[in-house]
Amino acid sequence: MGRTDRIAEPWGTRTPYGPGEEWPVRVDSFLADGLTPQDVDRWVQSATILHSNGDGLDIAVKDEQIVGVRGRAVDRVNHGRLGPKDLYGWQANSSPDRLTKPLIRRNGELVETDWETAMSAVANRTKELLAERGPSSIAFYTTGQLFLEEYYTLGLIAHGGIGTSHVDGNTRLCTATAAAALKESFASDGQPGSYTDIDHADVICLYGHNMAETQTVLWSRILDRLSGPNPPKVICVDPRQTPVADSATIHLAPRPGTNVMLMNALLHEILEQDWVDHDYIDAHAVGFDELEKMLKDYSTERAAEVCGVPAEQLREAARLIGTSERLMSTVLQGFYQSHQATAAAVQVNNIHIVRGMLGKPGCGVLQMNGQPTAQNTREAGADGDLAGFRNWSNDSHVKDLAKVWNIDPMDIPHYTAPTHAMQIMRYVEDGSVRFLYVSATNPAVSMPELARMRSILSQDRLFLVVQDIFLSETAQLADVVLPAATWGEKTGTFTNVDRTVHLSEKAVDPPGEARSDLDIFVDYARRLDLRDKDGEPLVKWTTPEQAFEGWKECSRGRPCDYTGITYDKLRGGSGIQWPCNDEHPDGTERIYVDGKFWSDPEYCESYGRDLVTGAPVSPTEYKALNPQGKAVLKAAEYLPPHELPSEDYPFQLITGRTLYHFHTRTKTGRAPQLQAAAPDVWVEASAVDAAEHGWQEGDVLRVTTPRGEVTARLRISGIREGSLFLPFHYGYWDTSGGDHPTDSGRAANELTLTDWDPASKQPIFKTAAAAATRVEASQGRAAPAPTTTASRPVDPASVPPTTGGDAALAEEQIQTEEVAR
C-alpha cells in the first residue's frame, strides 16, 4: 500500500505491463475527515461523471452523507483507478450554495417559490407558445452529464410530444465531431475500438487529444504500457508541449487550423510507400481511388511549410503508422474545435481503413467524447438525432420510431435536419424561438462570443428555464430555475466512449426540495398532457428502471442495442459494452470485426455530408456510392482558418481544459483540493514570444480579439511560437482563492468567435486571431500553476510518490492506492 499526493501526481504510481497482458489492478480511494473504510456505513455502486472516461467507483456513505469514493477493481474501464476529479469532485454535492427550492422571476428578481408555481409557469408558457406560434417556438438545450433515462425522456417529450426539431446539447461544443466523423466513415455512430486496445497496440496516436489531462486514468494505462516491456510508440499531434507530448516518440506541433493539411500529408506518405492493405480496401471500403487522386498534391514538404512541422518528422510519423502491426488512434478537441473539424477527424478514420486496422485487438480508433454521458445524448436523441441511431432521412426509420412511441410518424419532425445549438441561439436572437429550456449546462460561460450570448439569453421576449444544481451564470438570467438532484442523489445509467454502460445508484437524498431530472421531465410531460395516439400518456414511466426498459425497446435491432442489459446485470460487476443482445449476451468489445459495418443504405444512421459545404448527401447519392454497405474513404481538401493572424492580432488563440477542472467549474470549483490546484485563469505563451515582447513569467497580460478581452497571468510554456492558450473553465460566479486582477474578464469565451465546422456544426474554439499586451509586471510573482507533473516534463517510466509541499495540505490531499499485481 502506497500513499500518493494525487494533486501533485495525478496519474498515481506505475503498474507496468506488457503487450497482451491484462492491466494490473490498483484501487484508489479517498475518504473525508480522516475516516477509515471501517467508518463507512455503506458503499453504493456508481461511476465517474467529471470527465468522459467512465471509471467505475463506489460511493462511501456515512450518516446519510457522501463521505468519499473508491475505485471498483472489477470494472473493465479503470481496474480500480481514479483520477483527481473522481477522488475530490464529489465534495461539491454538499456545497452550502446548492439550489434547494425553485426560483421564479418577480419584478426583475429571482425569488423562492414552490414546485407547483414553478412548474405551472413552465408548462403554461409552453402551452401558450404552442397555441400562438407552434412547436418551432420551443427549444431545448441540454448537457452531457444527465443519465440515459433522462435524455430518452427529454427526447421523447421534445420530438414525439411537442414536435420541435430545436433540440441539442452542450455536447455540440465538444463531441459533435466525434459523431459526425463516425457517420461519414461508417454511416453510423458507435466507436469501433475499445480501451483494451491500449493493452495490445504497438503504435498509439493521439490527435489533438491531451489525454493526460482529460482522461487521467486512461493515460495511466498508457503510462503503464510505456513503463512495461515492449512499450508502444506514441505519436502526439498538439501545438502545446503537454504531458502527452513529453512522453511521445514523436511530437508534431502544427499551426492551429492546419490539421487537414497534416493528415493529408501523413496519408500521402502512407500511400506513396504502399503501406496499404489493398485486400481489405477491395473487400470492405469504397472511395479509395478518389482519396488517392486528391492526396497527390499533399506532399510532406508542402505540409511542412503550411503546418510549420519539419518534413522529416512527418515522414517518420507516417513510417511508424504505416509499418505498425497494431495501430490505435484517439481524437479530441484539438481536431474537433477547428474549422475543418470533421474533415480532419475523418482522415484519422481513413488511416485505419487504408491500413485495415479495425475490429482487431490493438487496432481501434476512438473518436473521443468530452463529457461523461455525451454518448447517451446521441443514442437517445437529446442532441437532435433520432433515438436509437435512426436516420432522419429514411422514412422507414421514422415510422419505426413512431411505432415504438405509438404516435403518428408525422408527429416526429423530420422535414429537415435537426437544429444545432448555434442555430438555436440564432433563432432565439431573432425571436423565432421564445422558450428555451436549459438543463445541466451553463451557456453563459461555455458558448462562444459571450457578450453576444448574454444579450441573447437576457431578452425580455425569451422565457428561459434553467434546471441545475447551482445558481450558475446562466441560471441568474432565467425566468424559472428548477433545483435538480445530481450524481449520487439519483439512479440511472450512462455510457462512456468505448460503449461501456454503467449503473449509478442513488446513495443519498438530494438537498432540500431538489428533484431528479427524470422526475422533473416526467412532471413537465404530465402538465402538458402529452398523449400517444391511443390517448394514453406519451411518457409511460415514472422510475429510472422503467425508463431504461422503455429505452431498451427503442434500441432493439439498432447499432446501440441494449436489449440484453438489465439493472440487475449491471449490479455488482463491471460495466457492459453495447451492443448487448441475444447474439452478444455479454456485450461487444469491438465492432466492425471482419469488415462488417452498419453502413447498409437501409440500415445506416446517416448518408453523410459534404465535408467542405456541409450539404447533406441524398439517399440516392449514398446508395449509388455505397450499395453494399462498406466503409467510406472520404477525401478532404485543406482550407485555411477563417480568422487568420494580422498586424493588429498577430497570435492564434486556442482554448482548452486543465486537469483539475471540468467545464465551467460549477462542481470542481467547489472541491477544495481541485480549486486550490488551479484557482485562476492563466495564459500560455512560448519562450520565444515572451522574450520578443519582454514578458516575464507571472506578468499580467491583456489578451484581446475583435470580440472582447481577458486578463490573465502569463505562464511561459512549450506551446508553439505564435500561439496563445487560455483554459476555458473560468467564469464569473466565484473569484475567491485566486490572484486575478479585480473587475477584469477571465472567461476565455469572451474572445472566441461565432463560427462552426460545416459538417458537425461544432463551434471553433481553436483559431481566433488575438493580441496580447502586458498590463502589470510580475514583480516576482508566478502565474497560478498547479503543483503537478502536468505542467512539467514527466518520465513515463516512473511517477514516484510524493507528499507535496505544505504538510497539512499534503495530508489532506493524500489518497490510498492498493496495488495488486
Side-chain angles (χ1 to χ4, degrees):
M1 180 177 296
R3 306 177 73 201
T4 305
D5 178 351
R6 290 299 300 279
I7 294 296
E9 306 294 352
W11 310 291
T13 54
R14 300 280 55 79
T15 54
Y17 71 117
E21 299 175 2
E22 184 173 348
W23 191 24
V25 167
R26 189 194 81 197
V27 176
D28 298 347
S29 64
F30 176 73
L31 293 174
D33 301 324
L35 296 176
T36 69
Q38 291 71 34
D39 298 320
V40 174
D41 295 337
R42 63 181 181 276
W43 295 91
V44 180
Q45 182 176 339
S46 183
T48 57
I49 63 156
L50 293 176
H51 50 76
S52 66
N53 209 53
D55 305 324
L57 59 71
D58 293 322
I59 301 170
V61 178
K62 180 176 176 58
D63 299 330
E64 300 309 315
Q65 298 291 320
I66 297 176
V67 294
V69 291
R70 71 179 178 196
R72 291 181 61 80
V74 71
D75 198 85
R76 64 172 303 278
V77 169
N78 57 314
H79 294 216
R81 290 163 185 79
L82 298 175
K85 290 194 289 286
D86 310 329
L87 292 166
Y88 307 120
W90 56 268
Q91 296 167 99
N93 281 39
S94 59
S95 181
D97 59 342
R98 280 286 299 273
L99 290 170
T100 59
K101 290 179 67 70
L103 306 175
I104 193 165
R105 192 166 294 279
R106 295 285 189 251
N107 299 318
E109 300 292 331
L110 285 172
V111 297
E112 289 187 349
T113 188
D114 54 68
W115 274 101
E116 179 62 31
T117 301
M119 291 304 296
S120 293
V122 174
N124 290 342
R125 186 56 180 151
T126 305
K127 292 176 184 177
E128 290 170 2
L129 286 169
L130 287 173
E132 295 170 5
R133 294 175 168 268
S136 62
S137 64
I138 309 293
F140 296 86
Y141 184 60
T142 188
T143 182
Q145 299 174 62
L146 301 185
F147 290 162
L148 168 62
E149 296 81 356
E150 295 161 342
Y151 292 129
Y152 183 52
T153 303
L154 175 60
L156 173 56
I157 291 169
H159 293 140
I162 292 173
T164 181
S165 61
H166 304 330
V167 184
D168 205 355
N170 65 11
T171 51
R172 183 66 53 186
L173 311 182
C174 57
T175 62
T177 300
L182 294 168
K183 292 175 189 177
E184 295 302 326
S185 300
F186 310 114
S188 179
D189 201 341
Q191 301 289 348
S194 171
Y195 288 168
T196 54
D197 288 328
I198 292 173
D199 306 343
H200 303 275
D202 62 351
V203 173
I204 300 174
C205 299
L206 298 98
Y207 297 97
H209 183 195
N210 183 10
M211 186 191 288
E213 300 201 51
T214 58
Q215 284 112 356
T216 55
V217 169
L218 199 61
W219 181 240
S220 295
R221 196 169 191 149
I222 290 180
L223 288 177
D224 287 349
R225 276 294 319 273
L226 292 176
S227 61
N230 301 312
K233 305 294 184 182
V234 174
I235 297 173
C236 169
V237 179
D238 197 315
R240 298 173 66 211
Q241 185 71 29
T242 65
V244 173
D246 292 331
S247 296
T249 312
I250 297 177
H251 175 207
L252 306 177
R255 289 190 180 95
T258 64
N259 294 329
V260 168
M261 174 61 75
L262 182 140
M263 295 305 302
N264 282 349
L266 293 177
L267 276 162
H268 172 98
E269 186 72 7
I270 289 168
L271 268 59
E272 185 80 8
Q273 302 299 327
D274 200 28
W275 294 317
V276 176
D277 190 333
H278 293 283
D279 290 341
Y280 186 90
I281 293 171
D282 292 343
H284 304 302
V286 296
F288 180 77
D289 291 343
E290 292 82 356
L291 178 69
E292 186 176 37
K293 180 180 179 181
M294 199 279 298
L295 290 174
K296 289 187 182 298
D297 294 331
Y298 287 89
S299 67
T300 53
E301 287 74 20
R302 180 188 174 197
E305 183 177 345
V306 172
C307 301
V309 175
E312 58 270 22
Q313 283 193 359
L314 292 168
R315 285 192 289 269
E316 178 60 12
R319 185 190 68 80
L320 290 178
I321 294 168
T323 59
S324 63
E325 297 181 3
R326 296 171 303 281
L327 173 68
M328 180 185 181
S329 299
T330 72
V331 192
L332 199 57
Q333 312 299 21
F335 274 34
Y336 294 171
Q337 293 178 337
S338 299
H339 69 295
Q340 288 191 285
T342 307
V346 162
Q347 304 319 305
V348 179
N349 296 341
N350 284 348
I351 285 177
H352 280 260
I353 298 168
V354 164
R355 297 237 46 236
M357 295 286 181
L358 290 166
K360 299 177 288 187
C363 301
V365 58
L366 293 173
Q367 298 282 351
M368 300 296 292
N369 296 335
Q371 294 190 70
T373 69
Q375 191 67 44
N376 301 120
T377 65
R378 310 202 303 255
E379 296 165 4
D383 68 340
D385 288 339
L386 278 188
F389 293 165
R390 289 174 173 85
N391 193 335
W392 282 96
S393 300
N394 188 324
D395 287 343
S396 67
H397 286 205
V398 178
K399 291 177 182 177
D400 180 56
L401 183 59
K403 182 179 179 181
V404 173
W405 289 348
N406 194 30
I407 61 176
D408 191 298
M410 294 308 295
D411 291 339
I412 301 174
H414 59 285
Y415 43 84
T416 186
T419 312
H420 61 92
M422 302 302 292
Q423 190 63 52
I424 288 174
M425 294 302 175
R426 282 192 169 179
Y427 289 155
V428 174
E429 189 174 34
D430 69 21
S432 59
V433 166
R434 296 294 181 92
F435 176 102
L436 180 62
Y437 195 138
V438 176
S439 50
T441 187
N442 190 15
V445 175
S446 59
M447 278 283 195
E449 198 174 348
L450 289 185
R452 180 182 182 185
M453 192 56 50
R454 285 190 293 269
S455 174
I456 290 171
L457 296 174
S458 300
Q459 294 180 94
D460 289 338
R461 65 189 175 188
L462 174 68
F463 192 89
L464 177 62
V465 181
V466 174
Q467 185 170 304
D468 214 326
I469 66 174
F470 294 107
L471 192 66
S472 67
E473 289 91 339
T474 305
Q476 293 171 32
L477 303 174
D479 294 281
V480 174
V481 179
L482 304 175
T486 188
W487 166 94
E489 301 165 358
K490 59 182 182 179
T491 293
T493 56
F494 54 95
T495 308
N496 76 350
V497 74
D498 84 338
R499 299 170 282 104
T500 300
V501 184
H502 285 105
L503 175 66
S504 180
E505 302 265 27
K506 179 180 177 179
V508 299
D509 289 330
E513 299 177 20
R515 296 180 179 178
S516 75
D517 296 275
L518 179 63
D519 287 345
I520 299 172
F521 291 147
V522 170
D523 186 18
Y524 180 53
R526 178 184 63 81
R527 290 173 185 272
L528 295 180
D529 196 29
L530 302 179
R531 301 277 171 173
D532 67 13
K533 64 183 181 181
D534 295 330
E536 297 298 318
L538 180 65
V539 178
K540 297 175 171 58
W541 48 81
T542 58
T543 69
E545 191 164 8
Q546 290 170 348
F548 185 77
E549 291 299 313
W551 158 250
K552 284 168 57 178
E553 196 56 38
C554 182
S555 75
R556 184 180 297 277
R558 297 304 301 159
C560 51
D561 194 330
Y562 279 63
T563 52
I565 303 176
T566 65
Y567 272 29
D568 284 342
K569 195 169 183 177
L570 291 171
R571 288 186 171 112
S574 173
I576 299 171
Q577 291 173 283
W578 65 250
C580 180
N581 48 27
D582 291 342
E583 184 180 357
H584 304 284
D586 298 319
T588 306
E589 188 170 23
R590 295 174 187 86
I591 58 177
Y592 307 149
V593 176
D594 298 327
K596 297 176 182 178
F597 299 98
W598 293 325
S599 51
D600 182 274
E602 298 306 318
Y603 184 77
C604 67
E605 181 187 6
S606 172
Y607 301 130
R609 291 178 177 272
D610 185 283
L611 296 181
V612 174
T613 68
V617 175
S618 73
T620 301
E621 290 173 313
Y622 181 81
K623 290 174 183 177
L625 168 72
N626 196 17
Q628 297 176 306
K630 299 182 178 183
V632 179
L633 288 162
K634 211 159 191 176
E637 61 178 303
Y638 165 71
L639 299 172
H642 298 175
E643 187 172 271
L644 291 167
S646 64
E647 184 176 351
D648 292 334
Y649 298 100
F651 292 98
Q652 285 186 292
L653 173 68
I654 56 179
T655 69
R657 303 172 187 259
T658 182
L659 188 153
Y660 300 104
H661 286 305
F662 184 65
H663 279 210
T664 61
R665 297 168 49 253
T666 50
K667 298 184 186 74
T668 54
R670 290 172 168 90
Q673 297 88 345
L674 301 175
Q675 175 64 5
D680 202 359
V681 69
W682 70 91
V683 58
E684 288 183 21
S686 72
V688 171
D689 289 327
E692 181 178 334
H693 291 82
W695 301 334
Q696 301 292 327
E697 179 87 10
D699 285 354
V700 176
L701 301 189
R702 177 180 291 114
V703 182
T704 59
T705 72
R707 290 155 295 278
E709 67 176 49
V710 167
T711 56
R713 292 200 180 274
L714 173 64
R715 187 182 298 177
I716 298 174
S717 73
I719 194 170
R720 69 164 292 129
E721 296 171 36
S723 299
L724 301 174
F725 170 83
L726 282 169
F728 71 83
H729 309 283
Y730 300 90
Y732 300 103
W733 67 266
D734 174 39
T735 58
S736 63
D739 185 29
H740 196 79
T742 306
D743 298 327
S744 57
R746 62 182 201 157
N749 285 323
E750 300 285 358
L751 310 179
T752 49
L753 62 160
T754 301
D755 199 356
W756 51 80
D757 173 69
S760 70
K761 317 303 182 187
Q762 184 159 345
I764 299 170
F765 291 109
K766 302 299 186 190
T767 54
T773 56
R774 181 169 59 190
V775 296
E776 178 186 315
S778 67
Q779 297 178 339
R781 303 168 76 180
T787 54
T788 169
T789 48
S791 60
R792 63 180 188 274
V794 60
D795 175 5
S798 176
V799 182
T802 176
T803 57
D806 180 80
L809 180 61
E811 185 62 30
E812 181 185 18
Q813 294 171 346
I814 290 295
Q815 67 90 44
T816 300
E817 296 177 350
E818 295 180 0
V819 180
R821 301 184 186 276

